[in-house]
Structures are given as C-alpha cells and as structure tokens.
C-alpha cells in the first residue's frame, strides 16, 4: 500500500500500476499525445521535457504535509506498453482520484479496471474511506468509469465538473 513517501505498485487483471517515475515521461508523452484527450479538461498534449518536469514535482510530493500525492502509470501486461495513469490526492481518510487512458487504449475497459483497482488499493490499507472524483457532465465515458469505481454523482460542482463520491467497502470488512 502507499506510504507517506510514495505509492506502492498494484495490479489488476490486465494492468500493472507502477509508481510514477520521470523515466516514464517520453513514453507517456506519446500516450498523452492525442489532443482529443483534453476536450473536457483543457490544455493540450505535453512534450516529454514538460512531462518529466511535472513528474519530478509530483513525486516530490505536496508542500502540505497533511496531503499525499500518489501517482501511477498503467502498463498493459499483455504487451508491456504504458497506456495511461491513475492518481490520488490523499488527505486523511479521503482521496480525490483521477484517471486518463490514451486514445489507442480507450474502449477496452482499461480505465474502469484501473479506477476499480485504485479504489481497492486505497481502501485495502485501512486508511482511505471516501473517494471523490470530478467529472465533466458531458463526458459519459468518465461517468461510467466513476460509477465502475463505486462512485455516484452528487449535486456539488467545482470548475464546471460534477463531484462524484463513494465509500467503497473495506476489503475483509463484514
């Protein structure tokens, strides 16, 4: 399970979630290269140097000691290629989660599988009890991923995105 110094890897049936490392920047820049990925979030594809710098900041961690930044890249086990990422900002028993799967890997269930795996990973340690995600209301695929991870939409909004939240079951709890 993740520690205060960084996340530990986890697996799903088809994916390996590997702790973020700046060495992944070049391959991830290719994964994130399609401008269509940014239709709901804004911005555009990062170049490898920008991504490496971002990854260095992310693995350095939050300046707030009460907040932990955990990030993983997703490797498809069948072909060994990176296909996207998941991330969690953890503050006590609450984690805000996000996911991105590159366009060539979309439509195969990888995002839902990764989000469910992330939810299970975060709750299995015994610390995270509430998950939150922010989803653009026109992004049906991300709504389906949030639902697969056990989240439900709320009436709350932030920056034009609907807040989704859930309390996944703690593994082993009765």
């Amino acid at each position: 399970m993740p520690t205060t110094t960084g996340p530990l890897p986890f697996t799903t049936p088809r994916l390996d979630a590997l702790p973020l490392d700046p060495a992944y920047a070049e391959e991830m820049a290719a994964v994130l290269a399609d401008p269509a990925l940014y239709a709901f979030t804004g911005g555009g594809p990062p170049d490898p140097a920008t991504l490496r710098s971002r990854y260095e900041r992310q693995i350095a961690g939050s300046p707030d000691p009460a907040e932990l930044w955990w990030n993983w890249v997703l490797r498809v086990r069948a072909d060994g290629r990176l296909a996207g990422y998941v991330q969690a900002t953890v503050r006590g028993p609450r984690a805000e989660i996000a996911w991105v799967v590159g366009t060539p890997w979309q439509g195969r269930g990888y995002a839902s599988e990764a989000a469910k795996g992330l939810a299970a990973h975060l709750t299995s340690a015994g610390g995270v009890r509430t998950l939150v995600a922010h989803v653009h209301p026109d992004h049906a695929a991300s709504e389906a991923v949030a639902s697969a991870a056990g989240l439900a939409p709320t009436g709350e909004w932030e920056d034009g995105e609907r807040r989704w939240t859930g309390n996944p079951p703690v593994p082993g709890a009765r």
Side-chain angles (χ1 to χ4, degrees):
M1 181 58 207
T3 66
T4 56
T5 58
L8 293 177
F10 66 93
T11 62
T12 69
R14 300 178 295 163
L15 302 168
D16 293 322
L18 308 171
L20 186 65
D21 187 298
Y24 296 128
E26 187 146 341
E27 187 175 356
M28 283 300 296
V31 170
L32 303 173
D34 186 349
L37 284 175
Y38 308 90
F40 295 104
T41 60
D47 62 64
T50 300
L51 205 51
R52 178 178 294 277
S53 178
R54 180 184 308 158
Y55 289 174
E56 288 169 353
R57 286 190 309 274
Q58 288 175 325
I59 64 173
S62 172
D64 180 348
E67 182 175 271
L68 303 171
W69 293 347
W70 293 329
N71 299 274
W72 297 262
V73 294
L74 302 170
R75 184 176 304 281
V76 177
R77 206 171 298 113
D79 65 13
R81 295 173 55 196
L82 297 181
Y85 66 85
V86 291
Q87 57 190 33
T89 301
V90 181
R91 183 176 278 280
R94 180 177 182 266
E96 292 206 20
I97 63 172
W99 51 86
V100 173
V101 170
T103 306
W105 296 272
Q106 291 179 4
R108 302 180 196 184
Y110 288 136
S112 291
E113 181 177 323
K116 285 191 287 191
L118 177 61
H121 186 64
L122 292 170
T123 59
S124 70
V128 173
R129 296 289 178 263
T130 302
L131 297 176
V132 175
H134 295 92
V135 179
H136 191 283
D138 296 330
H139 200 321
S142 277
E143 288 179 339
V145 172
S147 182
L151 307 181
T154 71
E156 298 174 54
W157 294 81
E158 185 176 323
D159 295 329
E161 295 182 320
R162 183 186 310 265
R163 181 181 304 251
W164 288 61
T165 189
N167 302 94
V170 178
R174 295 182 197 255

